[in-house]
């Protein structure tokens, strides 16, 4: 091999080794290596995830509920006083306790229990009932005449209602809950019915010892009252007051699938003098309740950031 060729190859190898040494020295002086024109995005697994710690919330509610009662009456005389039982409504105070577990930022499970007395009033002002009197202008013959009445029916019962529900944080701190409920009566259902003769009429009720413009009857229903099942939906808003304490206004709707009273056959004697009493059918008595309350919740645990 020619001497000049060997010399050229030696110089080329030396130049390559010298360039590699310069690059290595540059990497030592710049621990992060050479500057890039644009930083690369971090891999997906390098983004630190947001963690969530399960939250336990306990609290109480104080408020009230408007109860609506309804049933169908069939077979009674037109404008019979028994039509007062077709509908009723009333307000009663409620107080309860609540506990729920926030399982994720959006989903929670909870249970609640409350003292939920039932108070409702029915009113029927177009009732007519037959009255009899001896007409002195006709030899004191017995004459029958329809008498206008105002009728009321007052319902009362004490009960404890409880339920299990699932909740969703639908937006901000608005929470929607849906669940099943169980209502257990702790007192008989009392129905107080009053019939009052309209003013200006000369007829009066005879009690056996005295005349009166009104008559009242009381019915205590206990043998047919049993635990009832239903569904409950509510919308609430959590108002943070302190780090672990929130005020919670809530509106709830409660519908009971089990009737308060089953179907019953009763007697209508509003035209007993001229026609005689007839039997009528009172369909099952169902209830619904709209509840408004203000409560508080105390948090144990919550969201954390890494």
């Amino acid at each position: 091999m020619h001497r000049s060729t060997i010399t050229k190859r030696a110089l080329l190898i030396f130049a390559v080794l010298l360039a590699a040494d310069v690059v290595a020295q540059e990497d030592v002086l710049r621990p992060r290596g050479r500057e890039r024109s644009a930083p690369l995005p971090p891999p997906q697994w390098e983004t630190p995830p947001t963690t969530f710690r399960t939250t336990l919330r306990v609290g109480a509610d104080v408020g009230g509920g408007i109860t609506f009662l309804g049933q169908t009456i069939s077979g009674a005389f037109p404008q019979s006083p028994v039509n007062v039982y077709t509908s009723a409504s009333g307000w009663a105070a409620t107080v309860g306790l609540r506990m729920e577990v926030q399982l994720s930022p959006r989903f929670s499970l909870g249970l609640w229990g409350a003292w939920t007395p039932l108070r409702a009033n029915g009113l029927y002002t177009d009732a007519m009932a037959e009255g009899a009197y001896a007409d002195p202008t006709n030899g004191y013959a017995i004459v029958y005449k329809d008498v206008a009445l105002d009728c009321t029916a007052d319902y009362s019962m004490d009960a404890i209602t409880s339920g299990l529900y699932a909740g969703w944080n639908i937006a901000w701190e608005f929470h929607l809950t849906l669940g099943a409920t169980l209502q257990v009566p702790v007192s008989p259902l009392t129905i107080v019915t009053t019939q009052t003769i309209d003013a200006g009429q000369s007829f009066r009720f005879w009690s056996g010892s005295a005349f009166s413009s009104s008559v009242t009857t009381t019915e205590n229903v206990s043998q047919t009252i049993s635990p009832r099942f239903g569904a409950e939906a509510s919308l609430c808003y959590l108002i943070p007051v302190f780090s672990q304490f929130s005020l919670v206004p809530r509106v709830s709707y409660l519908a009971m699938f089990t009737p308060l009273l089953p179907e019953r056959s009763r007697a209508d004697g509003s035209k007993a003098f001229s026609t005689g009493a007839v039997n009528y059918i009172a369909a099952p008595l169902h209830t619904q309740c709209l509840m408004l309350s203000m409560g508080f919740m105390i948090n144990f645990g919550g969201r954390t950031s890494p």
Side-chain angles (χ1 to χ4, degrees):
M1 184 178 296
H2 198 273
R3 181 183 301 271
S4 62
T5 302
I6 296 175
T7 304
K8 291 179 181 180
R9 289 182 178 179
L11 291 174
L12 178 61
I13 293 172
F14 178 76
V16 170
L17 292 176
L18 180 61
D21 182 65
V22 170
V23 172
Q25 291 181 13
E26 182 181 5
D27 289 341
V28 171
L29 295 175
R30 298 179 181 177
R32 296 184 181 180
R34 295 186 177 183
E35 296 294 335
R36 298 185 177 94
S37 58
L40 296 176
Q44 183 67 29
W45 59 83
E46 291 184 5
T47 302
T50 300
T51 61
F52 179 87
R53 186 168 62 232
T54 300
T55 305
L56 173 65
R57 288 194 288 260
V58 296
D61 300 285
V62 176
I66 304 174
T67 302
F68 302 92
L69 287 73
Q71 66 180 163
T72 301
I73 302 293
S74 58
F77 291 113
Q79 293 184 282
S80 169
V82 302
N83 288 316
V84 71
Y85 302 121
T86 57
S87 63
S89 62
W91 171 273
T94 62
V95 59
L97 300 174
R98 188 176 299 267
M99 179 177 68
E100 64 182 33
V101 179
Q102 191 78 31
L103 300 176
S104 74
R106 292 290 184 186
F107 182 73
S108 63
L109 292 175
L111 58 90
W112 65 280
W115 177 263
T116 53
L118 182 152
R119 303 289 186 268
N121 312 102
L123 176 64
Y124 184 57
T125 59
D126 295 327
M128 302 290 288
E130 216 168 46
Y133 70 98
D135 185 1
T137 64
N138 191 23
Y140 292 95
I142 301 300
V143 178
Y144 306 113
K145 182 179 179 181
D146 286 335
V147 181
L149 303 173
D150 291 336
C151 302
T152 61
D154 299 329
Y155 300 80
S156 64
M157 184 185 74
D158 294 328
I160 295 175
T161 305
S162 59
L164 297 171
Y165 62 86
W168 291 265
N169 184 353
I170 55 177
W172 299 291
E173 288 298 333
F174 283 100
H175 291 253
L176 175 67
T177 70
L178 298 172
T181 61
L182 172 67
Q183 187 175 83
V184 180
V186 295
S187 73
L189 172 65
T190 300
I191 307 174
V192 179
T193 306
T194 302
Q195 299 179 11
T196 303
I197 298 174
D198 286 358
Q201 299 187 98
S202 57
F203 281 86
R204 292 293 182 268
F205 292 105
W206 173 249
S207 64
S209 59
F211 288 100
S212 175
S213 61
S214 65
V215 61
T216 299
T217 58
T218 300
E219 179 184 9
N220 289 314
V221 184
S222 58
Q223 68 275 11
T224 57
I225 299 299
S226 59
R228 302 195 298 146
F229 298 92
E232 183 252 1
S234 75
L235 179 65
C236 68
Y237 182 67
L238 271 64
I239 305 173
V241 178
F242 306 113
S243 60
Q244 301 296 326
F245 181 87
S246 299
L247 292 177
V248 187
R250 184 185 304 271
V251 56
S252 305
Y253 173 74
L254 178 64
M256 303 307 298
F257 303 141
T258 308
L260 183 62
L261 288 176
E263 180 178 285
R264 300 193 295 174
S265 177
R266 313 297 295 274
D268 178 12
S270 59
K271 291 189 178 295
F273 293 111
S274 62
T275 307
V278 298
N279 289 329
Y280 70 90
I281 300 297
L285 179 63
H286 287 276
T287 65
Q288 305 172 66
C289 186
L290 180 65
M291 295 185 290
L292 304 173
S293 66
M294 174 61 77
F296 68 87
M297 299 292 280
I298 301 175
N299 299 341
F300 298 92
R303 295 182 180 86
T304 59
S305 298

